Amino acid sequence: MTSPTAEVVDLRQALHAERELLDRLARIAPTIAGELDPDRLMQRLTDEVTAVVGAQFGSFFYNVKRATGESYLLYTLSGAPREAFERFGMPRNTAVFAPTFNGECVVRSDDITKDPRYGKNAPHHGMPKGHLPVVSYLAVPVRSLKGHVIGGLFFGHREPAKFGEREERAALAVSALAGAALDNAELYRELRELNATLERRVSDRTSALLEANRELESFSYTVSHDLRAPIRHVGGFVDLLRDHAASALDEKALHYVETIKASATHMGALVDGLLAFSRLGRAELAKRPVDLARVAPLVLHELEPDIEGRTITWSIGDLPTVTADTTMIRLVLTNLVSNAIKYTRKEANARIEIGGERRGEDVLFWVKDNGVGFDMAYVDKLFGVFQRLHSSSEFEGTGIGLATARRIVHRHGGRIWATGATSGPERGAAVFVSIPAEPTA
Amino acid sequence: MSAGRILLVEDSPQDVELTLSALSKQSLDDDVAVATDGEQALDYLFRRGAYATRTGPNPVVVFLDVKLPKLDGIEVLRALRSAEAFARLPVVMLTSSREEHDVARSYALGVNAYVVKPVDYRGYVDAIGGMGQFWAIINQPPPAGRA
């Protein structure tokens, strides 16, 4: 067995050193990947890389952006206490440092004090008095993934010729890691800030909404009490007037009295409708399975006075079960059917269809009629409070029914929409309601 | 204010007139004492202030509006229920609006009835007349001195 040549020994040693370096680099990656606090991240990184490079002192200067948008140069040190650097201030854009901070190139020197770039700047012309004794010098820029320089890694040793090509490659590898890590930390910071902003906004909006809700409640109370009373008075005194002076009133005067009475009654209905509408927004939902097939007959019974004397062909399909507040969903159906009855009034062959089916995750039900219908151009107005598409003389109403239905459906997490035509074979209106079959959390 | 079997606590003169008119159909309008705010109602019942010298029996029922100047109806009800002399006096809340909150508070304080004044006058006459008849004529009040 022959002993290996000196060349082979060297190669082996170099290979061994190279593998060790790779191992150490590989160990750095996971330790910094999980760290999102920039200060702790940089400290660990500086410690690790200083060890890998075999430097006595290592430092990492990097720019950070604060919430205000300003940049600060921060630094971490390894191998020397912070005080050792504190009094020198930040490295300036001197001939030695410039290539690093400008991202021009790596600066590696066996003895930096003999470098032509060294000692060119006043007032110190070299290292300030008391500075750590740096002879071997290695500095690499650190770049963001976006390409711009965000800092630099600096290494020093009091003995000359400590940093070779291998150390330079190691420093470059770590500088790439550092850039990515800083980018991550920056993204994380932005995310946290954005989150905080969002949370602040949500909280602001929530209190604004609560405040608006309180105002609305006090408004609805005032409306209910203060408006309802004078309406009652007008109606009451008109009745008293009629009872008291009926014989003295001629036909015209009686007509005026009846008009006042009718107006007061209508206004009372408007105020009551508005109040019911505003209460709907506040009332708790008591959701349970509701069989629409059982609700429909109750609705028709309730609307009996409107149906009396009319000839209507009813078509009531297999109605599904929805998960909803019983009272509220019944009100929706009542309002829809009541509208259908009203708007088919002038129809000799009035037809009203109540139908429904399970459709995927939702339950769909509808009320269709062949009444006067509406112009699709105004479909957006259909569900607005006090919005009416017919004059009161043509069809009476408060303009709250569909607004109420919409509010209820929305509170159940559902949708309501309508189609209509005022002429042709499709003449009439259809209102569709879609509500999640299972209660949403 | 005449002595009355019914104490009507109502600040709106229109409502007072309409209520008296409704009660007149039961011939009860002469039996009504009217207080126009909560403080006056308590003064009347507790015979103090302007009513320190009031003689005659206490009313058998109080028709109490919820929204009143000075002390509101709920506060009047609370004061009555915490006084030995009026803890069991029948009190009917009369109000323009159905506010769940008021209804709940009134019952918690032991109100005997809670009536929302109907907008329609015919309904109003029926409601007031019916209540007047029930509380002032049909109902047996608590024994005297224990009201």
Side-chain angles (χ1 to χ4, degrees), chain A residues 221 224 226 228 232-233 279, chain B residues 15 67 96-99:
Chain A
Y221 185 87
S224 81
D226 295 1
R228 225 168 166 271
R232 252 183 329 101
H233 298 158
R279 275 199 205 98
Chain B
D15 268 317
K67 211 176 168 193
S96 276
S97 61
R98 186 180 67 86
E99 276 299 311

Side-chain angles (χ1 to χ4, degrees), chain A residues 2-228:
Chain A
T2 55
S3 58
T5 64
E7 200 182 345
V8 170
V9 172
D10 281 353
L11 272 173
R12 274 197 188 152
Q13 278 173 350
L15 260 177
H16 182 73
E18 200 72 12
R19 203 171 65 194
E20 205 162 81
L21 175 68
L22 282 173
D23 283 351
R24 301 191 80 152
L25 282 176
R27 275 200 302 275
I28 295 180
T31 58
I32 61 170
E35 184 60 68
L36 290 169
D37 176 75
D39 295 339
R40 279 205 302 270
L41 171 70
M42 292 310 125
Q43 187 61 57
R44 288 174 82 158
L45 201 98
T46 310
D47 289 344
E48 298 278 1
V49 72
T50 303
V52 170
V53 172
Q56 269 184 317
F57 326 109
S59 64
F60 185 3
F61 286 83
Y62 56 100
N63 272 308
V64 283
K65 238 184 218 149
R66 288 295 176 218
T68 50
E70 290 165 88
S71 290
Y72 291 85
L73 195 60
L74 295 183
Y75 64 99
T76 52
L77 291 175
S78 193
R82 215 169 168 79
E83 300 81 57
F85 270 106
E86 217 121 65
R87 57 203 158 102
F88 304 126
M90 292 296 164
R92 295 167 303 139
N93 209 19
T94 59
V96 171
F97 293 134
T100 310
F101 285 122
N102 296 341
E104 285 156 20
C105 58
V106 174
V107 179
R108 178 157 62 89
S109 171
D110 287 343
D111 186 347
I112 191 68
T113 60
K114 298 203 174 78
D115 192 280
R117 290 168 289 199
Y118 182 77
K120 290 280 181 288
N121 294 75
H124 304 299
H125 296 284
M127 276 174 267
K129 204 163 181 265
H131 194 283
L132 290 164
V134 174
V135 177
S136 290
Y137 178 83
L138 172 63
V140 295
V142 174
R143 289 173 189 281
S144 150
L145 290 178
K146 290 170 211 149
H148 62 273
V149 180
I150 46 179
L153 282 163
F154 301 86
F155 306 97
H157 203 287
R158 54 179 99 227
E159 286 164 30
K162 279 296 188 182
F163 306 131
E165 211 178 292
R166 197 174 67 91
E167 283 72 24
E168 182 178 325
R169 271 189 287 118
L172 278 172
V174 174
S175 97
L177 273 178
L182 270 177
D183 278 350
N184 277 347
E186 172 67 12
L187 284 174
Y188 182 67
R189 187 190 61 76
E190 278 174 15
L191 192 69
R192 262 198 320 197
E193 241 163 56
L194 199 66
N195 232 355
T197 311
L198 280 176
E199 266 168 35
R200 219 172 22 248
R201 263 192 219 159
V202 167
S203 136
D204 286 354
R205 294 262 162 89
T206 306
S207 41
L209 279 174
L210 284 176
E211 178 59 28
N213 213 28
R214 270 193 294 274
E215 274 172 24
L216 199 68
E217 273 185 39
S218 97
F219 173 74
S220 81
Y221 185 87
T222 306
V223 166
S224 81
H225 202 93
D226 295 1
L227 279 186
R228 225 168 166 271

Side-chain angles (χ1 to χ4, degrees), chain A residues 220-222 224-226 228-229 231-233 235-237 239-240 242-243 261 264-265 268 272 279 282, chain B residues 12-15 17-18 21 25 65-67 95-100 102 116-122 124:
Chain A
S220 81
Y221 185 87
T222 306
S224 81
H225 202 93
D226 295 1
R228 225 168 166 271
I231 294 165
R232 252 183 329 101
H233 298 158
F237 282 101
D239 275 341
L240 285 178
R242 194 171 43 192
D243 291 354
K261 174 75 186 164
T265 306
D272 283 354
R279 275 199 205 98
R282 293 180 274 145
Chain B
S12 151
Q14 289 87 359
D15 268 317
E17 195 175 338
L18 289 174
S21 166
K25 314 228 157 154
D65 192 10
V66 172
K67 211 176 168 193
T95 174
S96 276
S97 61
R98 186 180 67 86
E99 276 299 311
E100 297 297 344
D102 291 343
V116 179
K117 300 168 188 169
V119 164
D120 169 59
Y121 182 65
R122 300 281 171 224
Y124 187 70

Side-chain angles (χ1 to χ4, degrees), chain A residues 240-257:
Chain A
L240 285 178
L241 175 66
R242 194 171 43 192
D243 291 354
H244 183 76
S247 54
L249 298 176
D250 62 12
E251 204 175 312
K252 206 165 205 175
L254 274 173
H255 166 70
Y256 295 154
V257 165

Side-chain angles (χ1 to χ4, degrees), chain A residues 308-382:
Chain A
E308 240 174 51
R310 293 274 309 274
T311 310
I312 299 170
T313 308
W314 293 93
S315 154
I316 299 174
D318 283 337
L319 295 176
T321 295
V322 291
T323 304
D325 182 289
T326 315
T327 316
M328 289 202 188
I329 211 69
R330 178 173 163 177
L331 185 56
V332 171
L333 200 59
T334 305
N335 287 354
L336 300 188
V337 175
S338 165
N339 274 350
I341 294 169
K342 191 196 313 183
Y343 293 113
T344 52
R345 196 165 57 203
K346 294 173 180 171
E347 206 60 39
N349 299 307
R351 284 195 314 275
I352 298 174
E353 177 193 333
I354 307 173
E357 63 187 34
R358 174 78 185 240
R359 197 170 283 184
E361 303 283 292
D362 301 317
V363 170
L364 184 73
F365 64 91
W366 59 81
V367 176
K368 293 180 188 173
D369 66 63
N370 66 339
V372 291
F374 64 92
D375 188 338
M376 279 304 273
Y378 301 118
V379 69
D380 291 342
K381 292 194 170 184
L382 212 56

